[in-house]
mmCIF file of all heavy atoms in Angstrom:
data_model
loop_
_atom_site.group_PDB
_atom_site.id
_atom_site.type_symbol
_atom_site.label_atom_id
_atom_site.label_comp_id
_atom_site.label_asym_id
_atom_site.label_seq_id
_atom_site.Cartn_x
_atom_site.Cartn_y
_atom_site.Cartn_z
ATOM 1 N N ASN X 36 -28.440 -76.034 28.513
ATOM 2 C CA ASN X 36 -29.383 -74.929 28.713
ATOM 3 C C ASN X 36 -30.552 -74.945 27.741
ATOM 4 O O ASN X 36 -31.289 -73.965 27.641
ATOM 5 C CB ASN X 36 -28.631 -73.594 28.600
ATOM 6 C CG ASN X 36 -27.664 -73.401 29.751
ATOM 7 O OD1 ASN X 36 -28.079 -73.124 30.875
ATOM 8 N ND2 ASN X 36 -26.386 -73.595 29.496
ATOM 9 N N THR X 144 -20.588 -82.592 13.897
ATOM 10 C CA THR X 144 -21.215 -83.626 14.717
ATOM 11 C C THR X 144 -21.784 -83.003 15.985
ATOM 12 O O THR X 144 -22.876 -83.358 16.439
ATOM 13 C CB THR X 144 -20.177 -84.716 15.085
ATOM 14 O OG1 THR X 144 -19.530 -85.105 13.885
ATOM 15 C CG2 THR X 144 -20.813 -85.923 15.737
ATOM 16 N N ALA X 348 10.473 -82.140 3.083
ATOM 17 C CA ALA X 348 10.434 -80.822 2.438
ATOM 18 C C ALA X 348 9.242 -80.736 1.497
ATOM 19 O O ALA X 348 8.511 -79.743 1.489
ATOM 20 C CB ALA X 348 11.732 -80.582 1.671
#
Side-chain angles (χ1 to χ4, degrees):
N36 292 286
T144 310

